[in-house]
Amino acid sequence: MIKVVVLLRRPPSWTRERFHRWWLDEHVAYGKKLPNLRKYRVCLVTGSTSHEGLEPWDGIAELWFDDRAALDAAWSSDVGRTALAHSRESHRDPLVLITDEHELIG
């Protein structure tokens, strides 16, 4: 199984609260419809111990797929293309990482 980790920044004109509402109230619905998606988690940044008030990211999404082929099929599907287009309209400077997760505790 692989996990995609996506870090997003809000548009400069948006408050953190507006960005969080957009993500939970609008964008999550697109992600939930992705084919081959095994698990989906959104983590909304509320503060930082190292960058308080200047957090470099406003939210993190974690999406799990069986393998790279399943991920590629999800992104290239009609739902995936729609989700990506919706996302691009409401954030800046995304960082997308494809990871091989190793669960140590939990």
Side-chain angles (χ1 to χ4, degrees):
M1 187 164 306
I2 63 169
K3 178 169 67 172
V4 178
V5 179
V6 182
L7 292 89
L8 298 180
R9 293 184 179 114
R10 69 185 183 265
S13 62
W14 286 20
T15 64
R16 181 183 287 165
E17 292 75 22
R18 179 178 178 191
F19 183 68
H20 288 178
R21 279 194 316 274
W22 164 83
W23 205 333
L24 293 178
D25 296 343
E26 294 180 39
H27 190 65
V28 162
Y30 292 94
K32 286 181 174 181
K33 295 177 185 175
L34 285 172
N36 306 312
L37 184 65
R38 295 293 184 178
K39 186 175 176 181
Y40 180 30
R41 176 180 297 150
V42 172
C43 304
L44 302 175
V45 174
T46 59
S48 169
T49 60
S50 62
H51 293 80
E52 190 62 44
L54 300 171
E55 294 81 11
W57 304 100
D58 295 296
I60 303 162
E62 299 172 302
L63 301 97
W64 284 260
F65 296 89
D66 287 336
D67 52 34
R68 181 61 190 258
L71 166 63
D72 291 343
W75 286 153
S76 64
S77 70
D78 288 341
V79 172
R81 286 191 300 274
T82 300
L84 289 170
H86 181 261
S87 180
R88 285 186 197 110
E89 296 172 0
S90 302
H91 66 76
R92 60 188 178 96
D93 304 325
L95 175 61
V96 180
L97 305 169
I98 299 171
T99 70
D100 182 14
E101 185 177 49
H102 298 267
E103 187 170 329
L104 304 175
I105 298 175

